[in-house]
Amino acid sequence: MKILVVGSGGREHALVWKLAQSAHRPHLYAAPGNPGMRSLATLVPVAADDIEGLLSFAREQKIDLTVVGPEVPLMLGIADRFRAAGLRIFGPNRAAAQLEGSKAFAKEVMRRAGIPTAHHATFTDLSAARAYVQREGAPIVIKANGLAAGKGVTVAPTLPEARQALETSMEQRLYGAAGDVVVIEEYLEGDELSVMALVAGERCQLLLSAQDHKQLLDGDQGPNTGGMGAVAPVPWVDSALLEVIRSRVFTPLLAELTRSGVDYRGVLYAGLMITREGPKVLEFNARFGDPETQAVLPLLQSDLVDLCLAVAYGTLEQTPLVHEPGAAIGVVLASAGYPEKPVSGQPITGLEDLPLETLVFHAGTRDQGGQLVTAGGRVLTVVGQGADLEQARARAYNAVERIHFSGKQFRRDIGLRSQRIR
């Protein structure tokens, strides 16, 4: 079996790593991949957003299954093109990917489906947005409507910060066209939670709960990032809460999409706030979360190839989804200057001498004359596994201390918030 994984980040490295364990013994390709994947997959010099190039490669190599990691190719319609060509692909079509590509679209679908979410309003005019913020007061949440690499959300505790977020998005256009439209939401209090589900039409199976840590600095301080670490499973999440999330979020959403003629096939990510009134949706993503995937997949006992095929064939209910006991924590190591102006080209050392119970997934790395160097904002995700969160955390940070590059940034409190009793 030949499998192509599209993407080059830590999430895609984790996907390649898990797919390589399959009983199907697949020959793996990664486009474009990264140096960390070389021992597991053949790297293909085709960009993740080059849909026609990826399609040509899949046809030439007779790829049996393509697994899409990042959001951009999904928004560009890669699943539509592959399916039209008769090629099997794991990922939602362009219509379904709008759940992530347009926050305004997602809010409208949630309204029709009766899914609990924050009160909100959508604006294309900066003056009108400013007036709304002034009227509503702070704290308040400003979101760029389109794709912004996980950085287009500002939780503004004061009115000046809210106005600055509007100007950054709509006037300075830091996020490009993605920020020309903004969604302004009420601030929700509670505990954040990530739940991903494998979806085939109206059928879904939930993966382990996870908790992301978005802010750059300890104590949830500093600027928003693409994610500085994750834990799985979240200790205070039980089967009863997961069933509530399934019944109030996933079931009505998939029913509404089906009613609208959208056949969702892939992963659906729900970013949630668990409030006193119950779970409310912060956002939907149309793909595996990053860095949550790096913590969730090491605990997946089921064959990921079987699960991906079950999604593609629509036989998900016949394929068991089983997880290993224990816990996993992923700590992201980021470059100096991240998230605003990450510094690249710094030599990375220490990867050769890590404990067996830890994993390292590459994201922003490249090979420079035989030396591994930094090549982006988030460089590596270091994952520790253990019988419980405390042991997983100790193992992850033990490995973090052994890895070195100039300007290395990381949070020292990943997992501490997750251990708090609600």
Side-chain angles (χ1 to χ4, degrees):
M1 172 177 283
K2 295 181 178 181
I3 297 178
L4 170 65
V5 175
V6 177
S8 61
R11 164 187 50 220
E12 289 77 35
H13 189 178
L15 286 167
V16 166
W17 172 81
K18 193 63 185 179
L19 291 165
Q21 299 170 22
S22 171
H24 293 270
R25 300 176 64 84
H27 184 109
L28 293 168
Y29 299 87
N34 66 46
M37 303 181 194
R38 279 197 183 128
S39 64
L40 301 169
T42 301
L43 303 190
V44 181
V46 180
D49 60 356
D50 182 359
I51 308 304
E52 296 308 312
L54 293 167
L55 181 61
S56 294
F57 176 82
R59 280 172 163 161
E60 290 167 4
Q61 294 297 321
K62 297 181 170 54
I63 297 295
D64 298 293
L65 173 68
T66 297
V67 178
V68 184
E71 61 272 24
V72 171
L74 294 170
M75 284 297 303
L76 292 174
I78 186 172
D80 308 74
R81 290 288 288 123
F82 271 56
R83 288 179 182 128
L87 295 174
R88 195 176 298 115
I89 189 167
F90 178 89
N93 60 25
R94 188 171 187 173
Q98 284 294 324
L99 283 172
E100 178 170 5
S102 170
K103 292 176 177 62
F105 172 80
K107 287 289 189 182
E108 174 58 22
V109 174
M110 283 188 270
R111 184 193 66 79
R112 296 199 308 262
I115 295 170
T117 187
H119 298 305
H120 66 283
T122 302
F123 295 91
T124 57
D125 178 74
L126 178 57
S127 296
R130 284 176 176 150
Y132 181 83
V133 163
Q134 188 67 35
R135 186 168 66 252
E136 293 296 311
I140 198 163
V141 181
I142 314 295
K143 295 182 175 182
N145 181 61
L147 299 178
K151 302 169 193 171
V153 177
T154 300
V155 180
T158 66
L159 285 175
E161 288 169 291
R163 289 191 288 267
Q164 180 60 53
L166 289 174
E167 291 163 10
T168 297
S169 181
M170 305 182 79
E171 191 171 64
Q172 299 170 17
R173 302 189 82 240
L174 179 64
Y175 314 115
D180 291 345
V181 178
V182 297
V183 176
I184 305 176
E185 293 185 352
E186 68 169 320
Y187 173 76
L188 295 177
E189 292 189 12
D191 292 294
E192 285 196 50
L193 183 67
S194 303
V195 178
M196 295 182 284
L198 302 177
V199 175
E202 291 194 60
R203 305 279 187 178
C204 72
Q205 293 208 48
L206 304 189
L207 293 164
L208 286 177
S209 62
Q211 193 168 54
D212 188 9
H213 297 64
K214 282 289 188 185
Q215 277 68 44
L216 179 68
L217 306 175
D218 290 358
D220 296 325
Q221 300 299 307
N224 206 35
T225 72
M228 293 299 293
V231 307
V234 181
W236 48 262
V237 176
D238 57 18
S239 58
L241 177 55
L242 287 176
E243 189 51 43
V244 169
I245 292 168
R246 179 196 298 273
S247 63
R248 295 186 186 176
V249 176
F250 287 97
T251 299
L253 177 74
L254 297 178
E256 174 58 29
L257 290 176
T258 300
R259 188 196 66 77
S260 303
V262 176
D263 182 23
Y264 198 109
R265 292 185 183 272
V267 171
L268 178 61
Y269 168 112
L272 306 162
M273 184 69 79
I274 310 302
T275 72
R276 292 179 180 178
E277 295 80 35
K280 294 187 178 182
V281 175
L282 298 173
E283 64 175 351
F284 285 117
N285 291 336
R287 37 74 187 183
F288 283 102
D290 186 345
E292 293 96 334
T293 300
Q294 293 93 299
V296 169
L297 287 188
L299 298 171
L300 178 65
Q301 189 179 92
S302 301
D303 190 313
L304 184 57
V305 173
D306 285 340
L307 290 168
C308 291
L309 291 173
V311 167
Y313 286 126
T315 58
L316 192 56
E317 68 279 6
Q318 301 169 24
T319 307
L321 197 161
V322 182
H323 294 101
E324 301 276 0
I329 287 189
V331 180
V332 170
L333 306 186
S335 293
Y338 179 74
E340 289 88 3
K341 294 181 179 179
V343 177
S344 293
Q346 302 302 311
I348 302 168
T349 61
L351 293 176
E352 308 80 13
D353 183 31
L354 296 179
L356 292 176
E357 63 270 10
T358 56
L359 298 164
V360 177
F361 296 119
H362 291 227
T365 67
R366 73 169 182 267
D367 191 318
Q368 185 173 285
Q371 169 68 59
L372 190 70
V373 301
T374 62
R378 293 186 294 175
V379 178
L380 303 165
T381 304
V382 181
V383 179
Q385 285 182 256
D388 54 29
L389 212 54
E390 186 175 354
Q391 186 178 55
R393 195 170 180 280
R395 288 174 171 173
Y397 279 102
N398 179 32
V400 163
E401 295 296 342
R402 300 187 187 199
I403 300 170
H404 305 282
F405 56 86
S406 179
K408 179 179 74 173
Q409 297 190 83
F410 66 96
R411 283 182 57 162
R412 298 180 182 274
D413 64 345
I414 303 300
L416 294 184
R417 168 162 46 96
S418 309
Q419 292 174 297
R420 187 176 69 245
I421 303 299
R422 298 187 72 243

